[in-house]
Amino acid sequence: MQNVHIHILANGLTVLLKPMHTAPVITSWLWYRVGSRNEGSGRTGISHWVEHMLFKGTPDYPQGTIDRLIERNGGYLNGFTSRDYTAYYETLPADRITLALQIEADRMINTVFDADEVERERTVILAELEGYANHPATWLDEAVNAAAFTVHPYHNPVIGYACDLHAITRADLYQHYQTYYMPNNAVLVLVGDFDPDALLATVVDLFGALPAGPPIPPVHAVEPEPQGERRLTIRRPGAAEYVQIGYLTPDCHHSDFGPLLVLNAVLSGARSLSGGGVPTNRSARLYKALTETQLATGVYSVYMPSRDPYLFELGAAVRQEHQAAEIESVLLHEITRIQDEGITDEELARVHKQMRAQLAYGSESVTNQARMLGTWAMLDSHTRAATLLDELAAVQVADVQRVACTYLTEQRRVVGTFVPLADAAANLEQDAAA
Amino acid sequence: MSYPTASLTRTLRHTLNNGLTVLIYPTPDVPVVSVRGDLLVGAVHEPDEQLAGLAVFTAAALIRGTQRRSFQQITAEIEARGCSASVNAGMHTTNFSGKALPEDLPLVLELLAELLRQPTFPPHELDKLRGQYLMSLRESEQDTRYRASQALRELLFPVAHPYRRFASGTAESLKQISRADLVRFHQHYHPTSSTIVIVGAVEPEDVLRRLDQHFGDWQGTTPTPTLAPELPPVPPLSAIRREDVVLSGKVQTDIYWAVPGLRRTDPDFYAALIGNMVLGQFGMGGRLWHAVRERQGMAYSVSSGLEAGFGAGPWLAYAGVNPHNVERAIAAVLAELALFVEQGCTLEEVDDVRAYLTGSLALGLETTGGIASTLLSIERFGLGLDYLDRYPALIHAVTLDEINAVARRYLTLDRYVLATAGPPASAG
C-alpha cells in the first residue's frame, strides 16, 4: 500500500490519492466519522437513516437522479453505515470520476431531507430491520452485543431499535446530518487510473469552498472492566441451536491488536480486512475441533479493528445430534489450549503467509484498496494499511499466548445460546416426514 | 460518448491434445493469479429425481480425498500458502476455481488436476460432508427466501423438469446418495467438455507446460461426455397459480412473481436483458424499486431477475415486505408490470441502460477474477474472444420496439406464478 498522496484542505477535509493504472477505472470513497458509536439512547439507527437520506437528493440532484447518473455513466455506487463510520462510494470508468466528486461535494451539505421522503424511508428501514430479524442468528448477535456493552453505545445495533425508528423525526435526522457531515469530519479516498495533481485540483475546486464546522461531539463512553461472565439464552422458532461467545478486547490502537489478529487467524484462518480474500479456515483449529468432529457447522471466530474496545467472538451452529453446551465447552477448550500451550512457530508462519496473500487479493481492485485505506483512516491512520504486515511480523508466539490469557477470560466473556422453540422443531419433523 | 476500451482479444486460446480448452490472459502488473474453469456436467445430468443433489455432492466430495492426499493434507497445503482450490456444481456445469500468488500457481494447478481426476471419495469423509449438507438444508427449510423461491419453481416447472428443484437436492435425496453413485457420476467428467481460464502475472508458455503436465494425459472415462441434455418442455401457463408458505417466527414475508423466461442463446436475449434492467435493475432496482420502495416505502429489497443460462429459467420479480403489506405489495408489483407491458419502456430508459451496459464493461475487468469469469462465460456460450469489442454494437442494435415486444410476449399478466413465504397471515 505504497504511493499514497495525502492532502488536508483548509476546511479540514483529508484527501488520500493513490494512483493505480492496472485498469481504466477510478473509485471515490467519502468517509465520515459517524456511526452507531455516536448515537444516544432513543436515537439508535439515526446514522444509518441519515445515510439512506443522502440518496434522496439535493436541489441540484433531485430524488432519483444520483443512482441514475452514476449507473448511466457505467458506474456503481452504494453507501453503508457501521459502528464507527459511514461511507459512500462510486466506482466509475476513469474519465467519469468528476461526476462522483460533484455529487459527494453537493450532498455533504445540500441534502434536502424532504419530510415525505423521510416518512417513506422510515418504513423502508423498518423493512430492512425485519429482513435481518427473519434470521435467528440476528437475534442472538444483538443479544450478545447488548449484554457485552452496558455503557458504551456498541450496545446498540447499527440498524437501530424499531421503537426508535418509529420515533425519530425529520428534525432529529437533519440535526444529526448537520452535526457530523462537514469536511473536517470526513476523509475522501481516491484510488485508480489518474494523475494525482490533476485530480487533486478537481477535488480542491469542488470541495475547497465547503465550510468547516465545529468539532464533533466527543464520545466519552468507556466500557468498564466486566465483573464476571454474562450468559443469555434466546428462545425463538429456528432450525438449530447456535452458540456465540464474545470477549471484550482492545481496539486497533492497542499494542495487543497484532497478537489478537494472529490469535484469530490461528483459530479460523487469516482473512482480508477489505474483501477479495479466500477462505483459509479448514486447516485452522476451530474447524478441526468442531466441524471435522461433526459437532457443528458454520464455525467461526472474528476479531476486527475498531475505534473503541469491541469483541473477539467465536461461534457455531450446533448439529442436530448435539447440544449447545457441548459446543460451548469445545470452543472454550480450544481457547484454554492456547492459554496453556501457546501456538506453534509453524502456525505463526502460516498466518504471515496467509495474510500476505489475502492482502494481495484485497489490493487487486481499486474499490477494495480504497475501502482498506479509508477504514484505517477512520479508525486510526491510513498508514496502517501499509504497515499491517510489519505489525504482524513483529508478533511472537509468546505474545499470542499472552493475549489469549489476558483477554479471553471467563470474566470478560458473554456466552449466548439460541435455542429453537419446540413447536418449530415439531413442524420441521412433520415437513421431513411428509 | 467514448468509453475506455474493454477488450480481451489478446487472450491466448489453446486446445490440449485431449480436448481441454485453455484460455490464458496475462496481467503482468497484478501480483495475483485467478483460475476459473468448468465442465459441462451438472444437476441436469443426474439419473433421476431420487438422486437430486448428486452433481453438487460429487463436486464437493472431490476435495475430501485423492489418490495422493487426504482432505486434511489438501487443506493444510493449500491454506498454508493462502491460496484456494475448489470445485462446486450447479444446474448445468461443474465449476472449479483457484486463487494464488504467482509463486503458488503450480500447487493450485496440481491440486485442481488431482481433485478433478483422482478423487477417492473416502466413506467417512462422505458422511461428514452429508451431515454438513443436511444441516445446511435444515437451515434453508426455515429461510423465507429459500422457501418462496422453491415454491415458485414447483409452480413454474413440470414434475420431470430439473429446474423444479434446486441443484443442492433435498434431505431425502441426500440421504439416498451412495458412494457408488458419486463414483459413477464422476465418470461424466471429461476433458472435451472442460475449459480452464488462467488470468494473472503468468508466462503463458510456463502455464501451458504445467497444464500439459497435469491435465495432458487426462482421457476421461466415458468415450464421449454427456453434453447438455434436452430439457423437458415447459407447458405454457394457463392461469394464475399461487402458493403461500407459512413459517413461524418470521417478521417479514418474501414474495416472488414469475413467468417462464428464455435461454442465454435465445434471439430475444438482449431485448429481455435491457427490458429487465429497466423493470427491476437499473438505478438500484429499476421501476419496481421506484414504485415499491421509493414511492410507497414498502420494501428494502425489491428487484427483478432474468435467469437466462443454458436453459430458460424464470423471469422473476422479488420483494421482501412486512406481513401486513403482502397483498398491497403484490398489487403494486402487478401494477408496475402492467404499466411496463402496456406502455413499454421509454427511449430515455433504454438509453440509460445501454449506456450502463456498455460503460460498465471496464469495471468487470478490474480484477483477475473478473477477467477470468468473463472469459469463461464467453467460451461457454461461444461468444468469441472479440465479444466485448462487439458488445456495444450488440446492445445498440436492439430497438425500443423489440424490447417492448419481448416484454409483452413474456410478461403475461393473466398467466403467472406467485409464491410467498412468511409468518401466518395474522402475525407480524
Side-chain angles (χ1 to χ4, degrees):
Chain A
M1 197 63 68
Q2 307 302 315
N3 196 20
V4 179
H5 304 242
I6 178 164
H7 298 272
I8 300 174
L9 307 191
N11 58 16
L13 178 72
T14 300
V15 185
L16 302 175
L17 300 117
K18 181 173 188 220
M20 185 171 150
H21 303 289
T22 48
V25 174
I26 300 176
T27 192
S28 159
W29 286 65
L30 186 54
W31 301 74
Y32 295 93
R33 289 188 185 88
V34 61
S36 59
R37 177 178 178 273
N38 306 85
E39 294 170 358
S41 176
R43 295 287 181 274
T44 65
I46 196 168
S47 303
H48 171 251
W49 193 341
V50 166
E51 177 233 307
H52 275 227
M53 296 312 296
L54 261 77
F55 291 84
K56 294 297 207 167
T58 69
D60 284 353
Y61 296 99
Q63 147 72 356
T65 55
I66 292 175
D67 311 333
R68 174 174 173 252
L69 275 171
I70 295 294
E71 292 189 21
R72 191 190 153 78
N73 282 279
Y76 60 84
L77 75 163
N78 215 331
F80 61 84
T81 308
S82 81
R83 291 179 288 271
D84 296 324
Y85 46 78
T86 305
Y88 302 84
Y89 64 91
E90 299 83 21
T91 301
L92 283 152
D95 59 346
R96 304 301 160 94
I97 198 62
T98 305
L99 174 65
L101 298 173
Q102 285 166 336
I103 289 170
E104 293 303 353
D106 186 36
R107 69 178 172 178
M108 184 188 291
I109 55 165
N110 294 322
T111 298
V112 174
F113 288 79
D114 173 82
D116 291 336
E117 295 286 1
V118 166
E119 286 315 307
R120 285 192 285 264
E121 211 55 24
R122 187 190 305 278
T123 47
V124 167
I125 292 170
L126 284 165
E128 184 179 358
L129 179 151
E130 288 163 355
Y132 301 148
N134 260 13
H135 300 283
T138 302
W139 295 76
L140 181 59
D141 187 56
E142 290 192 358
V144 167
N145 268 289
F149 295 97
T150 57
V151 172
H152 194 280
Y154 286 162
H155 174 89
N156 306 315
V158 173
I159 184 95
Y161 296 114
C163 55
D164 293 347
L165 297 174
H166 282 291
I168 288 169
T169 64
R170 190 259 174 204
D172 297 332
L173 290 163
Y174 199 66
Q175 190 198 6
H176 197 72
Y177 172 62
Q178 290 192 305
T179 305
Y180 294 99
Y181 283 66
M182 56 185 76
N184 42 312
N185 192 38
V187 175
L188 176 65
V189 183
L190 295 158
V191 180
D193 189 14
F194 56 74
D195 168 61
D197 294 335
L199 193 55
L200 180 64
T202 307
V203 170
V204 170
D205 187 35
L206 291 167
F207 288 84
L210 300 179
I216 65 162
V219 175
H220 299 297
V222 176
E223 186 59 31
E225 188 69 19
Q227 300 299 306
E229 183 192 59
R230 296 161 203 176
R231 303 188 69 87
L232 61 97
T233 305
I234 299 293
R235 293 179 198 278
R236 280 188 58 77
E241 293 188 336
Y242 298 90
V243 178
Q244 183 171 341
I245 303 173
Y247 298 88
L248 185 67
T249 33
D251 56 59
C252 68
H253 310 92
H254 198 284
S255 57
D256 286 338
F257 173 77
L260 283 162
L261 210 58
V262 172
L263 174 60
N264 180 47
V266 168
L267 289 170
S268 60
R271 71 211 67 168
S272 162
L273 302 177
S274 67
V278 303
T280 53
N281 62 312
R282 290 179 297 185
S283 58
R285 291 188 178 217
L286 292 185
Y287 187 94
K288 287 182 183 168
L290 285 148
T291 309
E292 284 280 34
T293 53
Q294 307 191 62
L295 296 169
T297 63
V299 185
Y300 68 90
S301 70
V302 57
Y303 175 69
M304 295 292 283
S306 57
R307 181 118 179 237
D308 296 329
Y310 189 62
L311 301 179
F312 189 115
E313 295 186 277
L314 321 168
V318 183
R319 289 274 296 266
Q320 206 175 345
E321 315 76 28
H322 296 277
Q323 308 291 322
E326 280 175 84
I327 276 47
E328 178 193 332
S329 74
V330 176
L331 285 168
L332 295 180
H333 177 68
E334 287 305 311
I335 302 304
T336 307
R337 268 183 62 205
I338 293 179
Q339 289 166 337
D340 292 347
E341 300 160 24
I343 64 162
T344 65
D345 291 331
E346 188 214 338
E347 283 177 308
L348 186 65
R350 186 166 66 206
V351 168
H352 287 157
K353 174 67 196 268
Q354 287 176 345
M355 193 55 91
R356 187 160 73 80
Q358 300 284 30
L359 287 173
Y361 306 151
S363 301
E364 259 198 89
S365 87
V366 296
T367 307
N368 282 341
Q369 286 230 12
R371 174 194 282 262
M372 183 143 48
L373 282 170
T375 302
W376 280 116
M378 285 293 105
L379 298 176
D380 184 9
S381 159
H382 75 276
T383 56
R384 294 283 295 274
T387 57
L388 187 64
L389 277 179
D390 292 337
E391 283 181 47
L392 294 183
V395 174
Q396 308 290 316
V397 289
D399 295 328
V400 179
Q401 184 173 15
R402 179 179 54 77
V403 297
C405 292
T406 307
Y407 303 110
L408 272 51
T409 62
E410 181 176 355
Q411 187 86 351
R412 302 179 71 88
R413 79 184 171 221
V414 174
V415 179
T417 307
F418 181 97
V419 179
L421 277 179
D423 68 290
N427 287 343
L428 213 68
E429 296 305 321
Q430 276 178 1
D431 287 353
Chain B
M1 286 193 283
S2 71
Y3 289 102
T5 31
S7 177
L8 296 173
T9 48
R10 65 183 179 87
T11 305
L12 171 75
R13 188 177 183 284
H14 180 82
T15 307
L16 299 189
N17 288 334
N18 59 2
L20 175 70
T21 303
V22 178
L23 300 175
I24 303 172
Y25 185 91
T27 57
D29 300 337
V30 185
V32 172
V33 187
S34 287
V35 181
R36 295 274 194 289
D38 67 6
L39 300 115
L40 272 182
V41 183
V44 296
H45 301 92
E46 288 165 357
D48 72 78
E49 199 178 340
Q50 306 302 311
L51 298 177
L54 179 57
V56 168
F57 200 163
T58 304
L62 302 177
I63 200 170
R64 295 283 165 159
T66 69
Q67 289 166 20
R68 297 177 55 205
R69 293 173 172 93
S70 69
F71 171 58
Q72 292 73 21
Q73 286 170 322
I74 294 169
T75 52
E77 264 189 81
I78 200 103
E79 292 183 0
R81 306 201 201 184
C83 25
S84 72
S86 66
V87 190
N88 57 71
M91 198 54 79
H92 290 269
T93 57
T94 294
N95 286 270
F96 51 94
S97 69
K99 203 166 189 176
L101 297 176
E103 69 217 40
D104 298 319
L105 180 65
L107 173 70
V108 169
L109 294 180
E110 178 187 328
L111 277 172
L112 283 172
E114 214 173 293
L115 301 189
L116 293 170
R117 299 183 56 187
Q118 303 172 338
T120 50
F121 303 109
H124 63 288
E125 289 292 340
L126 298 183
D127 287 345
K128 285 196 270 183
L129 187 58
R130 193 192 318 268
Q132 288 173 27
Y133 273 132
L134 290 173
M135 176 75 178
S136 157
L137 279 172
R138 197 173 160 79
E139 291 178 296
S140 298
E141 286 292 315
Q142 292 285 305
D143 184 88
T144 47
R145 197 150 180 173
Y146 177 93
R147 291 295 293 271
S149 177
Q150 184 179 48
L152 185 89
R153 280 151 222 275
E154 288 177 2
L155 291 169
L156 203 56
F157 295 103
V159 171
H161 202 292
Y163 290 6
R164 191 176 164 84
R165 49 188 188 267
F166 291 122
S168 47
T170 65
E172 285 310 294
S173 65
L174 281 173
K175 284 175 192 162
Q176 291 199 19
I177 293 171
S178 69
R179 181 175 179 280
D181 294 324
L182 299 179
V183 170
R184 223 173 358 255
F185 194 77
H186 176 252
Q187 291 175 358
H188 291 308
Y189 287 30
H190 200 277
T192 54
S193 76
S194 184
T195 299
I196 185 165
V197 183
I198 293 161
V199 179
V202 296
E203 288 291 335
E205 295 306 315
D206 176 54
V207 172
L208 276 178
R209 192 172 47 74
R210 289 185 188 280
L211 286 173
D212 199 50
Q213 177 192 342
H214 297 300
F215 290 93
D217 59 349
W218 179 23
Q219 293 304 325
T221 306
T222 43
T224 39
T226 319
L227 293 171
E230 278 297 308
L231 295 171
V234 179
L237 296 169
S238 56
I240 297 164
R241 305 177 66 196
R242 171 167 176 170
E243 186 176 337
D244 299 290
V245 179
V246 175
L247 290 168
S248 59
K250 303 301 176 189
V251 294
Q252 184 164 89
T253 301
D254 283 321
I255 304 168
Y256 277 105
W257 176 97
V259 289
L262 65 171
R263 290 166 188 259
R264 175 67 178 77
T265 49
D266 192 293
D268 290 337
F269 172 74
Y270 291 102
L273 174 75
I274 295 171
N276 180 59
M277 291 208 65
V278 172
L279 175 64
Q281 293 282 330
F282 180 83
M284 295 284 201
R287 286 195 188 185
L288 290 174
W289 161 287
H290 284 280
V292 179
R293 173 168 163 154
E294 301 293 89
R295 284 205 300 276
Q296 303 188 49
M298 268 196 292
Y300 173 69
S301 297
V302 51
S303 61
S304 68
L306 185 65
E307 293 181 14
F310 285 89
W315 190 344
L316 52 81
Y318 163 80
V321 304
N322 184 279
H324 292 303
N325 287 336
V326 171
E327 301 311 320
R328 219 181 109 212
I330 291 171
V333 168
L334 290 174
E336 274 313 302
L337 284 163
L339 205 64
F340 186 73
V341 168
E342 282 158 24
Q343 299 180 357
C345 308
T346 65
L347 191 55
E348 191 184 21
E349 287 173 318
V350 168
D351 276 344
D352 279 347
V353 169
R354 284 174 178 152
Y356 171 74
L357 288 171
T358 51
S360 61
L361 280 180
L363 275 59
L365 306 182
E366 209 205 324
T367 60
T368 54
I371 295 170
S373 294
T374 305
L375 282 170
L376 187 61
S377 181
I378 284 172
E379 180 67 24
R380 196 37 82 203
F381 291 106
L383 304 171
L385 289 175
D386 63 347
Y387 178 64
L388 295 189
D389 308 76
R390 294 187 293 110
Y391 187 79
L394 283 171
I395 293 301
H396 285 285
V398 186
T399 67
L400 181 63
D401 286 348
E402 284 167 344
I403 294 162
N404 291 336
V406 163
R408 276 195 302 275
R409 195 167 344 126
Y410 286 88
L411 303 172
T412 49
L413 271 301
D414 54 346
R415 292 164 286 136
Y416 58 81
V417 300
L418 193 61
T420 75
S426 59

